[in-house]
Amino acid sequence: MARFSESINFHFSISERKIFLFLIDHIIGVAGIYLYYFLIGKEIDTQFYITTGIFLGLSSLLNAVFKTYDLKIASSIDRLDLILFVSILVYTVLFLSSSIVPRVPQNDLKAIFLVLSLPLLVTSWRLFYIKVIHQPVLHTNAMILGESECIDFLKETFDFDSHGYKILHEEIYDDNKEIEDFRTILDNLKASRLNIVILAYNEYKNMPNYVSRITEYCSVIGIEVYGYLRFYESVNLAIPIRRLGNNLYRFFPFTRTNYNLVYKGTHRLIDIFSALFGLLFLLIVLPFIAILNIFFNPGPLFFEQLRVGKGGEEIPILKLRSMVVDAEKKSGAIMATKNDARVTPFGKILRKFRFDELPQFWTVLKGDMSLIGPRPERKVFVEQLKKEMPVYDLRHMIKPGITGWAQVKYKYGENLEDSYRKLEYDLYYIKYRSLFLDIRIILDTVNTVIFSKGQ
């Protein structure tokens, strides 16, 4: 057993891969700043630490906005252009905004060399990560034991490879499994350098005896064992509501943040400051939008709708009109789709840059909405979705938001399947909402606006 334990291969978990990428990126940057000081003959002083602090903060912010630590991006050679772009942006802004460069021509040339060379060095390091570190030899080796339906669900909803996982073995539930098969599986485990075992069973009390013995053995020698629903939640950052059944309320402690007064107060302060900023921005751009609306989108500038808010109560929200006048006069209430024919050409521009959402900051300031939360839907759609998804009402435990976890994590919703997936993200946010998660959503929202993603 000791030899088996020692033979477990070195691997990176999801969080370790992200931390590793972050550390090497920033070590390269700090080393570059130090090299610049060395080349121009400057001693390490307060200015150096200020410059380094600016670099670390700026780099962290822009990499978060552009999601360069998303493992699907980090492991794709096709996205190296994004890594290069972000690196150039970081070092260019650092050069222009900090006191790194004393204004002497020869030093300026050295700084320009720094701006040009470090992005290439960072990109080369990321290429090394893709070609060497993100390889099967350093993957997390996994075995899935369970029922075929649960295994298929997990494989369909999670990209194992891009997150650094390699499935070594699948074992489908079989009542007729003999103890000799159990010994064979253990022999395979010893040879495969297994890292984690995922148990894909709807009811663990029905788990066959040989599987229990395998998992007990793995736990003793240090191999991690996950239930497939917990694994799904931890890697997809969503609540697998369709697989929980009657276990939902054990899996979803919905009162977790109800009594956290510090978080609730901080969250409300974020709402107030964001609402004031949003309304100020609206006042600046509104005259221009109003003029363009006259020529390219004839009709009222604003429109008001009732949406379902916290506790299931309807609240009025105000938006800039992006659809044709009386868009639902003939067809009645219809959910918006990504390429909705009712949206005017000018309305598409408003939606692309989320200008149509700006008037909702008034609702946020009043306290009926929040900056971050589940997107509010109309009552007619809520009632339809509740028939298909009885747990849909749980999203009304908190205030609706202008942006939210579902909006930044999932594509534009057009059907029931999309509604299910978005609800999974909304419930994840309600379960784990925190200041850190709120900040992450704000940064991801900037990315969503820049690249015109989500809903």
Side-chain angles (χ1 to χ4, degrees), residues 77 214 337 378 408:
I77 198 166
I214 288 175
T337 57
R378 294 162 65 181
V408 300

Side-chain angles (χ1 to χ4, degrees), residues 49-88:
Y49 294 110
I50 293 173
T51 299
T52 301
I54 292 173
F55 163 74
L56 293 174
L58 179 66
S59 178
S60 299
L61 176 64
L62 289 177
N63 279 286
V65 167
F66 287 94
K67 297 186 177 182
T68 62
Y69 298 117
D70 183 317
L71 293 185
K72 288 185 178 180
I73 293 176
S75 62
S76 172
I77 198 166
D78 295 331
R79 304 308 299 274
L80 282 175
D81 56 342
L82 177 63
I83 307 298
L84 179 61
F85 167 75
V86 173
S87 300
I88 292 174

Side-chain angles (χ1 to χ4, degrees), residues 196-317:
I196 69 168
V197 173
I198 303 169
L199 302 178
Y201 293 92
N202 282 322
E203 294 290 342
Y204 293 113
K205 63 183 180 181
N206 297 328
M207 198 165 60
N209 181 60
Y210 75 90
V211 173
S212 298
R213 293 178 64 184
I214 288 175
T215 56
E216 289 167 7
Y217 182 73
C218 289
S219 297
V220 169
I221 62 175
I223 295 176
E224 296 178 274
V225 180
Y226 290 89
Y228 85 110
L229 296 180
R230 293 290 181 188
F231 182 80
Y232 178 96
E233 180 187 14
S234 66
V235 297
N236 282 338
L237 306 179
I239 304 294
I241 54 175
R242 284 172 291 185
R243 312 299 303 183
L244 293 176
N246 294 329
N247 294 318
L248 173 66
Y249 293 97
R250 284 194 299 170
F251 196 82
F252 183 67
F254 54 85
T255 60
R256 179 177 177 271
T257 55
N258 285 0
Y259 306 108
N260 190 333
L261 297 180
V262 174
Y263 168 71
K264 290 174 72 175
T266 305
H267 188 86
R268 180 57 185 157
L269 284 176
I270 292 175
D271 284 348
I272 292 172
F273 283 113
S274 64
L276 292 174
F277 177 81
L279 291 173
L280 176 61
F281 183 72
L282 176 62
L283 288 176
I284 294 172
V285 301
L286 191 59
F288 303 99
I289 294 176
I291 293 172
L292 292 172
N293 189 76
I294 294 172
F295 295 100
F296 301 106
N297 196 23
L301 181 60
F302 297 97
F303 84 99
E304 186 179 75
Q305 272 187 344
L306 290 176
R307 300 284 180 96
V308 178
K310 183 178 180 180
E313 299 292 330
E314 287 188 299
I315 58 173
I317 67 165

Side-chain angles (χ1 to χ4, degrees), residues 417-429:
E417 174 63 23
D418 292 339
S419 296
Y420 262 114
R421 296 298 299 276
K422 287 206 163 193
L423 180 60
E424 290 184 344
Y425 288 113
D426 283 333
L427 295 187
Y428 181 90
Y429 173 73

Side-chain angles (χ1 to χ4, degrees), residues 61 101 201 227 263 272 310 334 361 372 432-433 436-437:
L61 176 64
V101 185
Y201 293 92
Y263 168 71
I272 292 172
K310 183 178 180 180
I334 300 176
F361 279 110
I372 300 166
Y432 291 108
R433 58 185 179 145
F436 174 80
L437 186 54

